[in-house]
Structure formats: C-alpha cells, structure tokens
Amino acid sequence: MSNDKTDKTPKQPKEQVIHLYQSAKRIHPKRAKGRFANLRILAILATQFVFYVIPWFNWSGRQAVLFDIPERHFYIFGLSLGAGDLIYLTMLLIISAFGLFWWTTIAGRLWCGYSCPQTIYTEIMLWIDHFVEGDRNKRLKLDKEPWNFRKIRIKLTKYLIIFAVCAWTGITFAGWFTPIREFVPALFTFQVGGGSLFAAAFYGFMTWLFAHQMREQVCKYMCPYARFQSAMFDKDTLIISYDEERGEPRGARKKNAKKDDLPLGDCINCTMCVQVCPVGIDIRDGLQYQCIGCAACIDACDEIMDKMSYPRGLIRYTTESVLEHEYTDADIKKRLLRPRVLGYGAVLLVAVIAMITSIALRQTLEVDIIKDRGVMLRENNRGWLENAYNLRIINDSEREQILTAEVTGFDEIMLTGLPSDGLKVPPRDTMTIPVQVSTIPEYADKGSHPIEFHFTYRETDSDEINTIVEKASFIGE
C-alpha cells in the first residue's frame, strides 16, 4: 500500500530561477561569401558614399547638402528650404514610414539586412575584426588566450582602427549640420564651436557603443521595428526560411555518400548557418524576430549544398504559403498585388506625389502681415486715417528678390513705407519692414474693414513675376 501511495504522489515542479537580465556571450560570426554578401557590400558602399562624401560636394558656391539649424535653413543641392518649410520634414517622415511598411509587407526585413545604419556599421566593425584578428576560429581562440604582448598588440591595433572610423564618422555627421570644409580644419586647430564638437563626439561615441560594443543587442532588445514587424507580415511576405520538409531529419554524412541511400534530409547539420549569423540565431528553428534578413545563412548553406552536390535553396527567400505548398516559388511575383501591398503602396504614392508637387509649387518668398498694436489708428499729415503694419519678409531662395506691393479694399487707399522701385530682399534673409496704409476718413467708419495686400516679386536678373495675396484688416474711427 505504501508503494502505491508513493507512486501516485504528484511530482514537485523543479525550481527555476528567472533572471531580469542575462549577459550574452560575444558573438563572432564567420564571414559569409556569396551573392547576398556581395549585395550587402554594394549597399554599404553606396550608403557610406552618400554619408561620407556628399557633404564635401559644393553647389553654387556653398555646401551641396547642409542642414544649417542655427540659421534655420536647409540646402539640398538646388533646393533651399527655410524654417517655414518644416512641413516637408513631416511629409518625408510619412513617406519613410509608409515606405518601410510597404517594403516590409513585400519582402520582410530587407531594410534591416542591407540599409539600416546599425547593421551597416556593425558589418564594418566585423570587417575590422576579420582584418586584424582573423576569421571566426582565430577570434575565438584569441579571446581565450591569456593577455600577452601579442594579444595586446592585436587588440590595440583593432581599437585604434575602430577609434579612427568612429571619430571620422562623428566628424562627418557634424559636417552635415555645419560647413564641413570649415569644420575639419577648425577641429584640428582647436577653433571649433562647442555645439559642433559635442555633436561629433556624441555621434562617434554612439557609433562605437552600438556598432562595436552592443552590436546584435541593439537589434534584439532596443529596436522597436523588430517587435512590431510581425504585424506587417502575412503568409505571402518574402522571408528567409529553412525548408524543414526537405532538410529533416538532419545529420552528418560523407561527401560522396548517395543521398537516396540515407534516411536523412539535405541538412548535414554543419551549423554553418548559425556560425555566420550576426545575431546568433538558428534559422532552422523557424522565423524569429531577431532575424534581420541579411541572408548570410543563405550564402553559407548554398556553399555547403554546392560542395555536397545538392540543389541550392534549403535556406532561401520564400513565403510561408510556398512552404505549405499553396503555390510554388515561381508564383511569388503573382502574389505582390494583394490588398495590403496595394494599400500601403497607394498611400506611399499619394504622399510622394503630394510632396513633389508642393515643393515644385512652393513660394520661395513669404510675407507675413503683422498689425502694429502700438498704433491702432492715427491721422497722417494729409488728414487721412492711417494704420501701421509690419511686413515680415522671408526669402528662402539663394537669389536676391525685388518686392513690390499695393493694397486694395477702399476706393481711395495708399501704401507707404516701401521703396518706389521695389524692396531688395537679400538671399536667405528675413526682414521686418514697417509700412503704413491710409485712406479717406469717410471710407473707414468705426470698426474693422477687410483689405488685401498684393505683393509681386522677381529675381534681380529675371522677368518672371510671382504674386502673393495676403488678407488683413483696417481699423477705422
């Protein structure tokens, strides 16, 4: 009886310790080679050419691309934007957001794998690791070695190169906001401003912290995109997947072994897909939020399949529907025109068209009419009633503008305060000009009367005339 009671006693659950934070081991990914690795190299070269080189270009006697925050003026080649054009920044953010949603719905996290600054700078740091310390096995072996002169020399060389890259990255970042041809010489002569120096040091430090020190931890724990990306996925989204049906059961075998004679799938369990992964996941466990879509595992697996004389594609870009045999890889393109893709694409197209149209039709000169509250109404030397105004004129263009104006609203009305041959407004300048509007007392009885300012402006050496109409009010007696 005692034995029966003992057998029926339920087992006690094992105690499990839950850590709020668990330190991760340093990941040393093996360098992948293949078509997708080459695409990543091209993407890195293209994006870093834009980042490092574009600020050194000149355009019409000034830096081609410059975001001059203190002067509240932004230059993008031939486009000059002022503080009043911040609406375009909002539109750009909307376009970027819906562009990301649209592309993610189609092809998953290709942005993360090929264009994200975190991925790109992490890849650059891995290049430095590989160049100085060697490939994965050598780096693992070096980390386990005790500290000696050889290890110190290798580590010091690596960190000096990393410091140089991070420092120049910070300097270039600051050069997007202050003229870089002036900033760099001033930096080395210790004559640079504090704000620019802080921007360079801060961005350089964050490049070192995120790209070298934290690396995949940023993608795993800090990036919000990794968390909400699944909301934009569907069964037809192109993702990196392991063909479990073809690969299982996995197992090692000799190179010249006939596949038909073995009760095994195509996966030889070499773990190369894990060794090349920059975030340290095993894609054979299925789609995981940590996967950044870099396709390093595809290159590694394809190389092994070639050596084993197996067909490529055990790990590949495909969709969940293909793996469930709803259609084949050849039919993936036909699934692009689905409601979610069309919806995001339509919003993206409308936003792009709206932004391009608004920029093309924007006024390069703005005039704000501000009623002078200190002088509500007075009588001038002609005996007419007079109101005072301040014209705030903003010239966002890079050319001098000549401004003329007239006022309508009464049969007899006069505008004074502007030069008869037009007011010259310097390029990229803001002026405040006091003007007066007067009329016969019989026309302006007590109360507020609507009037309109009609402005015309043109460039100094141009006959093309632009018109601005602004409404205001005239206070009568």
Side-chain angles (χ1 to χ4, degrees):
M1 295 295 292
S2 59
N3 292 336
D4 293 339
K5 290 182 180 180
T6 304
D7 294 338
K8 294 181 180 180
T9 303
K11 296 181 179 180
Q12 296 295 324
K14 294 181 179 180
E15 182 179 355
Q16 183 178 4
V17 179
I18 299 177
H19 298 278
L20 295 179
Y21 174 79
Q22 185 175 1
S23 60
K25 293 182 179 179
R26 187 70 164 176
I27 295 177
H28 292 285
K30 186 179 180 64
R31 187 176 182 182
K33 296 180 181 179
R35 48 181 175 156
F36 294 109
N38 293 335
L39 287 176
R40 287 200 306 278
I41 292 173
L42 291 176
I44 291 173
L45 294 177
T47 54
Q48 297 317 290
F49 175 84
V50 172
F51 179 74
Y52 289 110
V53 180
I54 291 297
W56 292 94
F57 288 171
N58 277 348
W59 186 281
S60 299
R62 46 89 177 161
Q63 187 167 313
V65 180
L66 178 64
F67 304 110
D68 194 346
I69 294 178
E71 296 296 329
R72 296 181 297 177
H73 220 98
F74 310 131
Y75 308 99
I76 306 173
F77 294 98
L79 183 62
S80 177
L81 303 174
D85 296 318
L86 289 179
I87 182 64
Y88 299 120
L89 175 60
T90 303
M91 297 178 68
L92 181 61
L93 293 176
I94 293 174
I95 291 172
S96 299
F98 278 95
L100 185 62
F101 297 162
W102 176 72
W103 189 248
T104 301
T105 303
I106 296 174
R109 295 183 69 177
L110 286 189
W111 159 260
C112 295
Y114 296 88
S115 301
C116 176
Q118 172 64 25
T119 302
I120 286 175
Y121 285 111
T122 297
E123 187 73 12
I124 292 174
M125 297 301 165
L126 290 174
W127 288 354
I128 298 174
D129 283 354
H130 182 85
F131 174 74
V132 178
E133 298 182 354
D135 205 356
R136 180 175 186 268
N137 292 333
K138 291 183 179 180
R139 297 200 300 271
L140 290 172
K141 183 178 179 181
L142 182 66
D143 284 354
K144 294 178 180 180
E145 287 183 7
W147 285 97
N148 51 41
F149 178 78
R150 174 181 170 274
K151 185 173 182 177
I152 293 174
R153 174 180 57 81
I154 294 175
K155 292 290 185 180
L156 182 61
T157 302
K158 183 182 77 169
Y159 278 108
L160 286 175
I161 297 175
I162 290 174
F163 173 79
V165 171
C166 294
W168 190 247
T169 300
I171 291 170
T172 303
F173 174 78
W176 284 78
F177 301 93
T178 187
I180 195 168
R181 293 174 182 266
E182 301 173 7
F183 174 67
V184 173
L187 182 66
F188 289 101
T189 57
F190 305 102
Q191 297 177 350
V192 69
S196 301
L197 183 61
F198 173 79
F202 179 78
Y203 196 81
F205 170 76
M206 297 307 292
T207 302
W208 169 81
L209 179 64
F210 284 173
H212 172 69
Q213 195 66 26
M214 298 183 67
R215 291 187 179 177
E216 76 284 349
Q217 305 298 319
V218 175
C219 301
K220 286 183 176 181
Y221 305 118
M222 297 179 63
C223 179
Y225 181 50
R227 301 293 179 175
F228 68 74
Q229 58 162 331
S230 58
M232 291 171 281
F233 282 14
D234 56 32
K235 295 181 68 175
D236 298 310
T237 298
L238 198 64
I239 56 177
I240 296 177
S241 300
Y242 165 69
D243 193 340
E244 185 176 354
E245 183 176 323
R246 174 185 157 187
E248 300 296 326
R250 68 186 75 158
R253 80 287 312 266
K254 294 181 179 180
K255 182 178 179 180
N256 56 359
K258 293 183 178 181
K259 185 170 64 171
D260 296 337
D261 298 337
L262 298 173
L264 298 173
D266 285 358
C267 179
I268 67 173
N269 204 24
C270 62
T271 70
M272 290 300 297
C273 56
V274 181
Q275 294 181 39
V276 299
C277 181
V279 293
I281 65 171
D282 190 341
I283 194 64
R284 297 173 297 177
D285 294 336
L287 179 64
Q288 299 153 68
Y289 79 90
Q290 297 96 331
C291 177
I292 60 174
C294 68
C297 55
I298 297 180
D299 284 334
C301 187
D302 284 349
E303 185 178 1
I304 297 299
M305 292 296 103
D306 291 342
K307 292 179 179 179
M308 298 297 298
S309 299
Y310 293 170
R312 291 185 169 192
L314 179 59
I315 300 176
R316 65 187 187 273
Y317 279 111
T318 187
T319 68
E320 184 180 348
S321 295
V322 170
L323 296 177
E324 294 177 357
H325 303 291
E326 295 182 14
Y327 53 85
T328 64
D329 285 306
D331 297 323
I332 290 177
K333 293 181 180 179
K334 299 179 182 179
R335 302 294 298 173
L336 290 178
L337 300 179
R338 57 189 190 272
R340 182 176 295 190
V341 175
L342 294 176
Y344 285 138
V347 175
L348 176 63
L349 181 62
V350 169
V352 170
I353 293 175
M355 183 172 181
I356 294 175
T357 303
S358 61
I359 290 178
L361 300 178
R362 62 186 275 268
Q363 297 280 3
T364 57
L365 188 140
E366 300 177 16
V367 182
D368 293 329
I369 302 171
I370 305 171
K371 188 73 173 65
D372 191 343
R373 300 300 179 182
V375 184
M376 296 296 294
L377 177 67
R378 64 190 176 193
E379 183 177 325
N380 62 17
N381 53 10
R382 297 181 60 184
W384 289 21
L385 297 180
E386 184 177 85
N387 281 197
Y389 303 84
N390 289 315
L391 303 182
R392 186 171 180 267
I393 306 167
I394 305 173
N395 183 5
D396 287 331
S397 72
E398 297 185 70
R399 297 181 182 273
E400 183 182 67
Q401 305 282 349
I402 299 178
L403 177 73
T404 60
E406 63 179 19
V407 182
T408 62
F410 300 108
D411 292 339
E412 294 287 342
I413 191 169
M414 179 182 296
L415 173 66
T416 58
L418 291 177
S420 58
D421 58 345
L423 175 68
K424 295 182 178 180
V425 185
R428 304 184 301 274
D429 194 15
T430 299
M431 305 175 64
T432 300
I433 305 297
V435 297
Q436 301 79 38
V437 176
S438 57
T439 187
I440 298 175
E442 287 77 7
Y443 292 151
D445 53 3
K446 187 175 182 180
S448 177
H449 303 269
I451 60 174
E452 288 185 347
F453 284 76
H454 295 259
F455 301 97
T456 60
Y457 67 94
R458 62 178 177 84
E459 294 179 2
T460 304
D461 299 327
S462 174
D463 295 329
E464 182 181 353
I465 297 177
N466 300 281
T467 303
I468 301 175
V469 178
E470 294 288 341
K471 295 182 179 180
S473 59
F474 186 93
I475 306 299
E477 63 178 350

